[in-house]
Amino acid sequence: MVSLRKILTVFGTRPEAIKLFPLVHALERDPRFDSRVCVSAQHRGMLDQVLEITGITPHHDLDLMTPGQTLDALTARALVEIGKVLDEEKPDQVVVQGDTTTVMAGAIAAYYRQIPVCHVEAGLRSGDIYHPWPEEVNRRTVGTFAALHCAPTETARDALLRENVDPSTVHVTGNTVIDALHWVTDRIERDPGLAAGLAGLERRFAGKRIIGMTSHRRENFGEGMQKIANAVKRLASRDDVAVIFPVHLNPNVRAVMNEQLAGLDNVALIEPLDYPHFARLLDISHLMLTDSGGVQEEAPALGKPVLVMRETTERPEGVEAGTARLVGTDADTIVRETQRLLDDQDAYGAMARAHNPFGDGQAAKRICDLLAI
């Protein structure tokens, strides 16, 4: 009898869950694997939204989220608790995705037990260890010892090779976020009720061009967040636009945005959206303002220009392809570049029609085949 390869997939946040559920589904369907799932619940509520809609029930739920926890406390608890799961499961390989604290702790716990690590979305680099912080160091750490590096693009592959990673361990797979977006848009097409919660805002803002927005990066807390809010306030003074902003739960975001933007006629500050509703927001938006990483990949798949409110990006492929533009947190720059896309049809069309460099929706299948080797 051929023994199945036991794969333990470890994740803890909403973005990780979105990018890993296509792979978890693929592993569960594949007769070559015994698939197990461990979640740290580094983000509790937002993680649970994705687990519910995608039908994933973790075998291990560590429930590590506590109010106001520090990065070092989270790292220590994740390292110890994921280690206990590894000792119980004894997997043949551990899969992590991206660059969160859960990713780094889970990968190190596996390394301590000499369990090979597969790093999904490997090779992203901004070149600045404090932007994004702490994610840039998290992913670089995993990149030093992962046994299998699943790079989403050639650019990511090249970054790993420059760091002297063994070329035989690096494979370009595409980004699983495109697999996820295809899955959820198909679900919404079959069942529009999954994303009907924005219908009221769609009616309220009928005839206006919608600017979708996300902002939550730690490096933007404080002055950067104030500047972003100021830019949005200025943009919302236009009669022809409306801003829909699912506001992150972090009080460093909420306090600033509520102070500057609450009550404006053309701004809807709403609770964080589940995945189907966020996909719907992408679909109805004219353009996206974001400091998120994933939106830089998702929006171009739907033909939506992205203005990135950061000084650097670990996804330069989007900038190079023309789907995204770095605008930083300077309010004048954000307003100017947004106005350009609103008022210059050629500029908008060039970004909207640019080729999305992040994949074809087959990344999960490719990663499964690599894990089976």
Side-chain angles (χ1 to χ4, degrees):
M1 179 182 294
V2 178
S3 62
L4 304 182
R5 288 183 62 80
K6 181 183 279 191
I7 307 295
L8 179 69
T9 304
V10 179
F11 56 95
T13 67
R14 177 181 184 271
E16 287 169 272
I18 289 171
K19 292 187 175 185
L20 280 176
F21 83 74
L23 180 57
V24 171
H25 285 176
L27 288 168
E28 290 174 343
R29 293 191 301 264
D30 196 314
R32 296 172 292 184
F33 302 107
D34 174 13
S35 175
R36 310 289 287 177
V37 173
C38 171
V39 299
S40 71
Q42 178 180 335
H43 290 172
R44 179 78 270 173
M46 292 185 286
L47 169 69
D48 289 345
Q49 291 175 352
V50 182
L51 296 177
E52 181 178 0
I53 189 64
T54 59
I56 293 174
T57 302
H59 301 88
H60 304 271
D61 188 333
L62 305 180
D63 197 22
L64 295 184
M65 183 176 179
T66 59
Q69 68 185 344
T70 62
L71 286 173
D72 46 5
L74 173 61
T75 301
R77 293 181 66 211
L79 185 61
V80 170
E81 296 304 320
I82 294 171
K84 293 177 183 178
V85 173
L86 293 173
D87 291 338
E88 176 183 340
E89 291 286 357
K90 295 181 171 56
D92 296 300
Q93 195 144 3
V94 169
V95 173
V96 295
Q97 185 280 327
D99 51 24
T100 68
T101 299
T102 295
V103 170
M104 183 178 69
I108 291 175
Y111 168 71
Y112 285 167
R113 291 157 178 80
Q114 298 186 36
I115 300 171
V117 173
C118 168
H119 190 196
V120 176
E121 198 182 63
L124 275 63
R125 300 290 185 268
S126 72
D128 184 337
I129 64 170
Y130 295 109
H131 291 86
W133 173 81
E135 287 82 0
E136 180 75 5
V137 165
N138 289 345
R139 57 186 171 232
R140 289 197 205 183
T141 300
V142 180
T144 63
F145 60 81
L148 177 60
H149 305 261
C150 297
T153 64
E154 292 287 347
T155 299
R157 177 183 183 273
D158 291 345
L160 290 165
L161 297 184
R162 286 195 299 272
E163 295 171 3
N164 296 318
V165 173
D166 181 353
S168 69
T169 67
V170 182
H171 302 268
V172 177
T173 60
N175 198 309
T176 53
V177 76
I178 306 302
D179 303 39
L181 192 61
H182 288 178
W183 182 90
V184 76
T185 52
D186 287 346
R187 282 286 306 273
I188 294 170
E189 186 174 342
R190 296 195 302 271
D191 182 7
L194 286 173
L198 292 178
L201 288 177
E202 292 181 50
R203 289 191 295 270
R204 171 182 164 186
F205 295 142
K208 298 180 184 294
R209 287 174 291 178
I210 292 173
I211 299 172
M213 181 170 169
T214 68
S215 184
H216 68 276
R217 297 275 358 129
R218 285 186 180 90
E219 58 267 27
N220 285 342
F221 289 173
E223 183 180 2
M225 205 62 65
Q226 291 283 352
K227 291 178 180 177
I228 289 170
N230 178 260
V232 173
K233 186 174 184 178
R234 289 162 59 183
L235 290 167
S237 66
R238 291 179 58 133
D239 293 334
D240 61 336
V241 303
V243 178
I244 298 180
F245 184 0
V247 184
H248 198 275
L249 297 174
N250 193 302
N252 290 291
V253 180
R254 292 208 153 196
V256 174
M257 298 306 166
N258 285 332
E259 179 184 0
Q260 293 212 37
L261 303 178
L264 296 182
D265 290 342
N266 285 0
V267 177
L269 300 178
I270 61 176
E271 292 300 306
L273 297 172
D274 64 19
Y275 189 41
H277 283 93
F278 189 74
R280 179 61 181 169
L281 176 60
L282 290 174
D283 192 38
I284 65 176
S285 293
H286 187 69
L287 60 93
M288 292 296 300
L289 284 175
T290 188
D291 58 13
S292 165
V295 176
Q296 297 175 53
E297 302 154 345
E298 294 165 313
L302 299 178
K304 309 298 180 176
V306 183
L307 296 180
V308 183
M309 298 181 294
R310 287 162 55 175
E311 303 302 327
T312 62
T313 180
E314 63 277 35
R315 294 166 175 84
E317 302 93 335
V319 177
E320 292 164 5
T323 62
R325 183 183 299 272
L326 285 172
V327 296
T329 59
D330 176 72
D332 290 340
T333 303
I334 295 170
V335 170
R336 182 180 68 249
E337 293 299 324
T338 305
Q339 303 268 37
R340 187 174 68 89
L341 291 177
L342 291 169
D343 298 331
D344 185 336
Q345 291 185 356
D346 291 337
Y348 180 88
M351 292 188 73
R353 292 190 299 268
H355 170 69
N356 179 16
F358 295 108
D360 58 4
Q362 299 298 314
K365 179 181 183 302
R366 295 188 185 101
I367 295 169
C368 273
D369 289 341
L370 291 168
L371 287 168
I373 296 174

